[in-house]
């Protein structure tokens, strides 16, 4: 492990609350050309909205990333959404400064590169097709209340309860029937903020992040997320720190997911806070 010496940070930057986080930030500032900034999409750089199809990156996200990305080894968006959808909703294609941005979608199963504007997608899991056919009938049978909606992510299906009269009650009601349906077809259920996602097992944000960091030869990493699906990426950063690769765990502060905030080195106030931090980082590195 790195030495937990006292670091001095530029005054515009918030300071991580943990020694490991301070070491991670110091390493990023000392050698940005070998640093990777990895971010979740929804709730981290895009505000959470009732309708997932109307999610868009925070208006300052692309300009700030455009200033920051050229100073780093890479910027990567790690999301459960299809890679092409996240790229489109993020407004990343053709944005100045983002030539080295990569989107790892479907938890890393898909990849979109800003340099080529191309998406690589493997064939879909056969279980997804079967679940897609059975899901409407199952929701009806389970007594899913009004406002529950299904989002088809291509390689996964997500059931959102945020718009139901009692969102948490609807979430609890559907948890077991959806787990049973997923299990029957070889899929896993990933719970999130008032959403249950049915997807192929085996790929998670931690694996996607670890592979990307190996591929890019990163010497340090900052990972920002806001939801339970991001815990796997937090675990990956923890493992890397154990192997001597410094890292920072950033939480896009939501009081909805305390499990993440409790493990983070740095908690900021939602997507606006994340964008503010990225801007401060760009200023510090560009100075």
């Amino acid at each position: 492990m790195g030495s937990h010496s006292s670091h001095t940070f530029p005054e515009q930057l918030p300071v991580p609350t943990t020694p490991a986080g301070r070491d991670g930030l110091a390493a990023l500032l000392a050698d940005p050309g070998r640093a990777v900034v990895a971010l979740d999409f929804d709730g981290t750089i895009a505000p959470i909205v009732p309708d997932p199809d109307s999610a868009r990156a925070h208006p300052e996200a692309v300009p700030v990333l455009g200033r920051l990305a050229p100073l780093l080894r890479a910027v990567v968006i790690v999301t459960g959404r299809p890679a092409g959808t996240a790229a489109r909703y993020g407004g990343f294609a053709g944005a100045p400064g983002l030539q080295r941005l990569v989107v790892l979608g479907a938890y890393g199963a898909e990849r979109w590169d800003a340099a080529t504007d191309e998406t690589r997608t493997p064939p879909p899991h056969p279980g997804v097709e079967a679940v897609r056919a059975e899901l409407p009938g199952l929701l009806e049978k389970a007594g899913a209340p009004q406002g529950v909606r299904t989002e088809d992510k291509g390689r996964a299906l997500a059931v959102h309860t945020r718009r139901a009269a009692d969102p948490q009650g609807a979430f609890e009601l559907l948890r077991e029937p959806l787990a049973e349906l997923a299990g029957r077809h070889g899929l896993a259920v990933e719970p999130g903020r008032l959403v249950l996602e049915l997807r192929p097992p085996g790929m998670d944000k931690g694996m996607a992040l670890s592979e990307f960091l190996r591929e890019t030869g990163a010497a340090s990493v900052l990972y920002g997320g806001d939801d339970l699906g991001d815990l796997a990426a937090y675990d990956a950063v923890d493992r890397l720190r154990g192997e001597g690769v410094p890292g920072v765990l950033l939480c896009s502060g939501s009081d909805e997911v305390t499990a993440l905030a409790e493990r983070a080195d740095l908690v900021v106030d939602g997507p606006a806070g994340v964008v503010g931090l990225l801007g401060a980082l760009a200023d510090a590195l560009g100075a």
Side-chain angles (χ1 to χ4, degrees), residues 23 168 178 192 256:
D23 284 351
Q168 194 61 43
L178 289 176
E256 284 186 43

Side-chain angles (χ1 to χ4, degrees), residues 12 29 32 67-68 71 279-287:
Q12 71 267 38
L29 291 166
R67 286 198 298 129
L68 180 61
L71 307 169
L281 210 46
D283 292 343
L285 293 174

